[in-house]
Amino acid sequence: MSTVTIEPLVGHYLRRSPKLYPNQKKTSHFSLNYSRRPLSGTATLRFCDYRRRRTVPIRASSTDAVVIETSEQSDVVFKETFSLKRPERAEGKISIRLDKGKDEENWNLTVGCSLPGKWILHWGVHYTDDTGSEWDQPPPEMRPSGSIAIKDYAIETPLQGDTFQEVKIDISSKWSIAAINFVLKDEETGVWYQHRGRDFKIPLVDCLDDDANIVGVKKESNIWSGSLGKLSNILLNPEASPSKGESSSNEGSSAKNRRLEGFYEEHAIVKETLVDNIVNVSVKQCPETAKNILCVDTDLPGNVILHWGIYKGDAKIWELPAMPYPAETVVFKNKALRTLLQRKEGGNGSSGLFTLDVGLAGFVFVVKLDENTWLNCKGDDFYVPLSSGTLHLEESKQSEESNSSQIVNRTPEESQIGSVYTDEIIKEIRSLVSDISSEKSRKTKNRETQETILQEIEKLAAEAYGIFRSSIPTILETVVSESELVQPDVKVTSGTGTGFEILCQGFNWESHKSGRWYKELHDKAAELSSLGFSVIWLPPPTDSVSPEGYMPRDLYNLNSRYGSFDELKVTVKKFHEVGIKVLGDVVLNHRCASERNQNGIWNIFGGRLNWDERAVVADDPHFQGRGNKSSGDNFHAAPNIDHSQEFVRKDIREWLLWLREEIGYDGWRLDFVRGFWGGYVKDYLEATEPYFAVGEFWDSLVYTYGEMDHNQDAHRQRIIDWINATNGTAGAFDVTTKGILHSAIERCEYWRLSDQKGKPPGVVGWWPSRAVTFIENHDTGSTQGHWRFPGGKEMQGYAYILTHPGTPSVFFDHIFSGYRSEIGNLISLRKRNKINCRSLVDITKAERDVYAAVIDDKLAVKIGPGHYEPPSGHQRWKMAAEGNNYKVWELS
């Protein structure tokens, strides 16, 4: 270990491993992970002892340790170096070209990348006679030089070149290849680049599936002529098989007419590299003026804005200090200051001086690089104590671990600086945690009291997290005015119920066909109540182009294929009589028009809400909207509604309130919430104050070579981000848990049910009170079967979600089937032991053939064919439920 003396620590930075992601229209460049991650380095802080010289050790993230020697200056009372990670991005293109070779039987595929790096094409082929696997190794003569085989299904070929790298693959019709699949890999970082979250796919014959990952070739194209063209049509499109007596020459002519002439496409790519920078902070006391002089010095390039405030006492609430303020300072929302640091000569970094009164508790700040990029300290504010009596738990923890920064994505329309008031909330949480965890508390407080405290902790945590990550439409900066200083009124509306809810999905994909579904549910209300359900989710109630209700047209017309307006009211009233709350399924993302405009486009709406093109987003070319650009992903089957329009939001709020009052809905199931910003959902929920609300944020999990990755943190993070955008006012279906549970049970890989920290791997492992767990619904199961749970193993899934935290949702088809008694038994166990959405999970086993956990020290559950018995000792367990590869015990 080498030792150096640095004064100040500025101007040194290291490049970190780059990240890679597609440069899409709505890509969020950074994300704040809900999970706490281990800090990467350490920094020690202390107050100076005026009588002697002290050394402050700094462990750097590089291989050499760095030591700072403090100078013999008695007025320096504090000094610390914070490490920062700043993103640098490089934009480039991936090019894909398919060219005709020497004749029509030979073609060339060229894939290139304009970004520097060591790029590898990971690719495979799909043969025309292979109906099983889409990935297989190409024939040896098709492989470019330098290629290596990856197991038995893929090839990796390096791209060649200096400023532009590419690889060319020769294709011949004699190899009978239906498609080429590939992904691009950055060898330096191991990061993969896919197409819309899936593999690139270049079809060479007719395609039945119009997949989103297909590039270059339109449906029904075929580059092969002759016999291979005929064969591929028969294999991939059985309905196109020639009937007896049909002329093969006509068929060949048809194939020839659809022959591909080649294509060229470019796809944007962004490569991100994290660069290490630092911020030095020192505090000097000036006895003559009774002031503290705080110096901030950083090597960050460009304009650097310090967003800052002060703590006056132990309450740790952001406040504005007394004037005067440094030059280039503005006030932010009357609760913080923003100071543009002064650039140093030569442009190597920035610095600033801040004059503060003696007696303050601390100086708190975050760093703003631009409107989208903020740097903070692992999700918290950077904190500088200003008196020797103000060291807190946070600072002690930082000195033991690190002062590493974290990148936070913030946009003017989608975020605000929210950590201003979280410290006091965190202090309350710590007090409550200490209270409930103390040995004396365990002995004196009954379980109900402890559960009440836990619920209060959850509310406080949601409030703190919501403040930090919440969003506002605009950010206004004004000149400092002490007369305008006010405390903000933070209102948090909860649509997450009591935590003990058990949800029933009260329909399937075929329920509309009876024409009297509401009446059928009315007759089953008492039975569902006796099974233990407390909430039921009803199908979409509005007039709809599609009979299932998910293509709504006239929102105030509630006569649907499920029944009439009056039948719906009677059914809701019946459920209320038996003690069940009712959720309405509302489709807010899109709406079907009633008329065409002057251009023949369907974007004129009828009924009470007679909107026109202004209510439709502008970036969906199918419907020629005149609103603003979409705040989410477009749903191309119907006009996507522009929720940024005030008249639209007003009409939707009034409609939802009308549904609450007229029908008696207690809450909402929100369809396709990926299509619009969660902040608008927050607006609607605060206006309607639902008892319970859950959003459908459906997103693809992460797969590599067709196998699900163990780490699905990125997937659940996107769901967490949406929940947070609603300010925690709604939960979300835990699609992550559904996918992992599905794969674990189907493949006998139960180790998947524990993440890297030994916690549940879905949303339920990060924010359980907002996770609505399920194994099947009208899309994944029923007659659609888009992602059907492994057949015959459904009860393993229910044994998991009905014993674990989160709010479990049970599919209608499974209730009224052979599983009814087993599901009822598990619900009874959950209610009897008061398992709730915030219950604690201790995973005791997660191996290839068995998963086991203890929940709240009340239930033990095991799923999988492997062996497990709950821990013995002073606890006595008895078998409470048993079925096909699952068991549940409860304390006797």
Side-chain angles (χ1 to χ4, degrees):
M1 179 184 76
S2 59
T3 302
V4 296
T5 300
I6 301 176
E7 181 68 35
L9 258 177
V10 176
H12 303 276
Y13 59 89
L14 301 171
R15 292 187 177 271
R16 291 298 184 201
S17 299
K19 296 178 181 178
L20 193 64
Y21 49 87
N23 185 17
Q24 297 173 349
K25 174 187 63 180
K26 300 300 290 184
T27 297
S28 295
H29 298 295
F30 315 102
S31 65
L32 176 61
N33 289 334
Y34 181 75
S35 63
R36 294 288 183 181
R37 302 183 182 277
L39 305 179
S40 58
T42 63
T44 300
L45 62 91
R46 68 169 183 83
F47 284 86
C48 291
D49 186 337
Y50 304 132
R51 296 167 296 180
R52 51 185 176 163
R53 184 169 175 170
R54 301 292 296 270
T55 299
V56 183
I58 300 286
R59 294 186 185 89
S61 56
S62 62
T63 55
D64 292 332
V66 182
V67 176
I68 300 179
E69 298 271 348
T70 61
S71 60
E72 194 76 62
Q73 294 179 333
S74 61
D75 59 348
V76 177
V77 296
F78 174 85
K79 189 169 188 177
E80 185 177 356
T81 297
F82 296 95
S83 64
L84 304 171
K85 296 186 184 299
R86 172 178 54 88
E88 282 190 348
R89 298 185 297 275
E91 298 184 0
K93 299 286 186 182
I94 289 178
S95 64
I96 306 169
R97 182 190 300 275
L98 185 65
D99 294 314
K100 188 182 298 183
K102 58 184 179 181
D103 54 44
E104 293 185 355
E105 303 298 319
N106 294 277
W107 290 73
N108 306 119
L109 175 66
T110 305
V111 179
C113 182
S114 63
L115 285 177
K118 190 175 180 181
W119 297 97
I120 301 292
L121 188 74
H122 180 94
W123 63 288
V125 300
H126 178 202
Y127 290 104
T128 56
D129 57 351
D130 187 352
T131 59
S133 173
E134 291 192 357
W135 278 75
D136 208 340
Q137 288 190 347
E141 56 268 40
M142 185 179 176
R143 308 172 190 180
S145 61
S147 299
I148 60 172
I150 303 298
K151 297 184 179 179
D152 60 350
Y153 57 82
I155 294 293
E156 289 195 346
T157 305
L159 275 63
Q160 304 292 336
D162 296 326
T163 57
F164 186 85
Q165 303 176 57
E166 64 179 14
V167 62
K168 180 186 288 186
I169 299 172
D170 296 328
I171 310 169
S172 173
S173 63
K174 65 182 181 181
W175 296 324
S176 303
I177 295 172
I180 296 176
N181 302 293
F182 73 87
V183 293
L184 201 61
K185 177 183 177 182
D186 185 354
E187 183 74 3
E188 295 175 346
T189 64
V191 177
W192 301 83
Y193 179 78
Q194 296 177 297
H195 181 45
R196 298 174 182 171
R198 300 173 62 187
D199 305 331
F200 284 90
K201 185 175 184 179
I202 311 293
L204 305 178
V205 297
D206 287 352
C207 292
L208 294 180
D209 297 326
D210 192 13
D211 292 337
N213 59 329
I214 290 178
V215 296
V217 184
K218 295 182 179 179
K219 194 172 182 180
E220 294 189 350
S221 65
N222 192 334
I223 69 172
W224 308 133
S225 60
S227 60
L228 179 58
K230 303 172 196 175
L231 175 63
S232 67
N233 289 336
I234 296 171
L235 288 171
L236 296 180
N237 189 0
E239 296 178 1
S241 303
S243 60
K244 195 170 183 178
E246 235 181 329
S247 168
S248 62
S249 62
N250 291 339
E251 192 181 51
S253 174
S254 177
K256 186 174 181 179
N257 290 337
R258 295 193 304 269
R259 192 172 302 136
L260 183 68
E261 294 299 330
F263 70 88
Y264 176 79
E265 284 188 8
E266 289 186 345
H267 296 263
I269 184 174
V270 175
K271 184 174 180 178
E272 178 185 294
T273 304
L274 293 181
V275 179
D276 281 0
N277 293 97
I278 57 173
V279 169
N280 283 322
V281 181
S282 61
V283 181
K284 298 182 180 180
Q285 286 186 345
C286 182
E288 293 80 6
T289 60
K291 299 284 186 180
N292 285 323
I293 308 298
L294 185 142
C295 176
V296 176
D297 192 307
T298 180
D299 62 349
L300 285 166
N303 291 329
V304 178
I305 294 176
L306 215 66
H307 181 97
W308 62 282
I310 53 97
Y311 291 161
K312 289 185 176 180
D314 294 337
K316 301 190 71 178
I317 296 176
W318 277 58
E319 298 185 50
L320 299 181
M323 298 179 73
Y325 302 141
E328 302 292 334
T329 295
V330 295
V331 67
F332 171 78
K333 305 296 288 184
N334 287 328
K335 54 189 176 185
L337 297 171
R338 287 181 175 175
T339 300
L340 176 65
L341 300 183
Q342 301 300 307
R343 300 286 293 274
K344 299 179 185 178
E345 293 185 7
N348 186 21
S350 307
S351 63
L353 290 176
F354 301 81
T355 303
L356 305 169
D357 289 338
V358 172
L360 299 177
F363 179 90
V364 61
F365 70 94
V366 292
V367 178
K368 177 183 177 184
L369 298 184
D370 54 47
E371 290 301 329
N372 297 319
T373 309
W374 299 75
L375 305 178
N376 62 25
C377 187
K378 299 302 292 182
D380 295 321
D381 309 320
F382 291 107
Y383 179 77
V384 178
L386 296 178
S387 67
S388 59
T390 58
L391 285 174
H392 297 284
L393 178 60
E394 291 81 12
E395 290 82 68
S396 301
K397 183 177 180 181
Q398 284 178 347
S399 67
E400 293 170 2
E401 297 180 2
S402 172
N403 288 323
S404 300
S405 70
Q406 185 165 20
I407 302 167
V408 185
N409 181 43
R410 312 239 176 164
T411 63
E413 295 185 354
E414 299 183 6
S415 69
Q416 69 179 13
I417 300 301
S419 56
V420 180
Y421 296 97
T422 57
D423 289 328
E424 186 164 87
I425 296 172
I426 292 171
K427 185 178 179 182
E428 292 182 46
I429 292 173
R430 287 200 176 97
S431 175
L432 289 167
V433 170
S434 299
D435 186 32
I436 197 171
S437 62
S438 68
E439 188 67 29
K440 181 178 179 181
S441 173
R442 292 197 197 99
K443 294 178 180 178
T444 58
K445 284 187 170 63
N446 60 32
R447 187 61 183 177
E448 287 73 18
T449 303
Q450 294 184 18
E451 287 172 351
T452 301
I453 295 174
L454 284 172
Q455 291 179 22
E456 187 64 26
I457 291 172
E458 173 64 36
K459 290 178 182 178
L460 289 167
E463 182 177 350
Y465 189 64
I467 295 169
F468 182 75
R469 299 288 305 279
S470 62
S471 306
I472 54 174
T474 56
I475 289 180
L476 302 176
E477 294 186 357
T478 58
V479 179
V480 174
S481 173
E482 293 186 51
S483 63
E484 297 178 357
L485 300 182
V486 294
Q487 297 288 339
D489 180 20
V490 179
K491 178 182 178 182
V492 178
T493 302
S494 175
T496 57
T498 65
F500 292 88
E501 285 71 26
I502 301 174
L503 174 64
C504 165
Q505 179 177 359
F507 64 100
N508 61 31
W509 193 246
E510 303 296 321
S511 296
H512 65 90
K513 291 185 176 180
S514 71
R516 55 188 305 275
W517 188 249
Y518 294 146
K519 290 183 178 180
E520 294 183 33
L521 284 179
H522 177 278
D523 296 341
K524 288 180 167 59
E527 184 178 2
L528 291 170
S529 177
S530 67
L531 283 171
F533 290 103
S534 56
V535 182
I536 187 167
W537 155 25
L538 298 187
T542 58
D543 164 54
S544 170
V545 171
S546 64
E548 298 82 12
Y550 288 102
M551 299 285 280
R553 184 168 43 197
D554 184 356
L555 299 186
Y556 279 91
N557 181 358
L558 301 189
N559 295 309
S560 71
R561 299 291 183 89
Y562 298 101
S564 68
F565 174 89
D566 291 333
E567 290 169 347
L568 174 59
K569 289 189 68 173
V570 170
T571 300
V572 170
K573 182 180 179 182
K574 179 63 176 179
F575 277 112
H576 287 164
E577 289 174 356
V578 298
I580 295 180
K581 304 285 188 182
V582 181
L583 303 185
D585 197 331
V586 290
V587 183
L588 305 180
N589 174 74
H590 52 273
R591 183 185 172 196
C592 292
S594 300
E595 300 177 20
R596 302 185 185 189
N597 67 1
Q598 64 274 16
N599 299 324
I601 303 299
W602 291 91
N603 58 19
I604 305 299
F605 304 90
R608 184 166 162 182
L609 302 182
N610 54 345
W611 301 334
D612 58 17
E613 303 101 318
R614 294 172 299 164
V616 181
V617 298
D619 50 351
D620 185 348
H622 299 88
F623 297 103
Q624 297 182 5
R626 292 196 291 114
N628 296 313
K629 288 186 177 181
S630 175
S631 58
D633 296 334
N634 279 332
F635 177 78
H636 295 297
N640 286 250
I641 300 306
D642 179 14
H643 292 264
S644 70
Q645 303 287 355
E646 175 57 34
F647 76 90
V648 169
R649 295 199 304 277
K650 176 178 177 292
D651 285 347
I652 290 178
R653 286 194 298 265
E654 291 178 353
W655 175 63
L656 292 174
L657 285 169
W658 178 79
L659 288 176
R660 288 271 272 152
E661 294 167 3
E662 285 293 320
I663 304 302
Y665 285 128
D666 301 288
W668 316 114
R669 182 266 185 184
L670 302 154
D671 183 68
F672 197 73
V673 295
R674 280 181 57 188
F676 55 104
W677 177 42
Y680 299 131
V681 173
K682 172 179 176 287
D683 180 23
Y684 302 141
L685 298 188
E686 288 182 341
T688 59
E689 297 183 341
Y691 169 83
F692 193 91
V694 55
E696 181 208 29
F697 191 95
W698 199 273
D699 199 4
S700 296
L701 279 79
V702 182
Y703 293 82
T704 302
Y705 316 141
E707 290 191 11
M708 180 183 292
D709 289 0
H710 181 211
N711 187 338
Q712 295 292 336
D713 286 356
H715 183 268
R716 57 177 167 175
Q717 182 65 54
R718 291 190 290 273
I719 300 176
I720 288 286
D721 288 342
W722 178 83
I723 299 171
N724 180 66
T726 74
N727 208 21
T729 55
F733 286 108
D734 193 348
V735 182
T736 316
T737 291
K738 148 74 174 173
I740 294 172
L741 191 60
H742 183 126
S743 183
I745 293 175
E746 181 178 49
R747 303 167 64 94
C748 196
E749 296 175 342
Y750 293 87
W751 49 265
R752 292 182 178 275
L753 294 173
S754 176
D755 67 10
Q756 290 84 349
K757 296 183 179 179
K759 301 295 183 182
V763 177
V764 73
W766 279 359
W767 206 347
S769 69
R770 302 305 191 268
V772 176
T773 54
F774 70 106
I775 70 166
E776 205 83 288
N777 62 25
H778 60 290
D779 288 321
T780 66
S782 191
T783 54
Q784 291 202 93
H786 291 321
W787 196 17
R788 198 181 304 281
F789 202 78
K793 301 179 180 179
E794 291 87 352
M795 285 310 304
Q796 288 189 58
Y798 283 121
Y800 182 92
I801 69 171
L802 287 171
T803 59
H804 280 58
T807 300
S809 175
V810 182
F811 186 41
F812 185 88
D813 290 7
H814 294 158
I815 300 169
F816 295 97
S817 68
Y819 299 135
R820 182 186 183 284
S821 61
E822 290 183 85
I823 290 173
N825 189 22
L826 289 172
I827 292 175
S828 177
L829 272 171
R830 183 180 182 91
K831 294 173 73 72
R832 184 163 67 243
N833 289 278
K834 296 184 178 179
I835 305 302
N836 58 79
C837 70
R838 300 173 179 87
S839 290
L840 302 179
V841 179
D842 179 15
I843 298 176
T844 57
K845 206 169 189 179
E847 300 176 357
R848 182 190 62 81
D849 61 350
V850 64
Y851 165 87
V854 175
I855 298 89
D856 279 351
D857 290 326
K858 293 179 177 180
L859 290 183
V861 62
K862 163 256 178 184
I863 61 174
H867 176 74
Y868 171 79
E869 293 289 335
S872 58
H874 67 280
Q875 294 175 316
R876 299 183 61 185
W877 298 94
K878 66 176 181 179
M879 183 75 69
E882 183 176 9
N884 182 20
N885 285 333
Y886 78 89
K887 292 181 180 179
V888 182
W889 299 262
E890 63 180 338
L891 284 177
S892 59

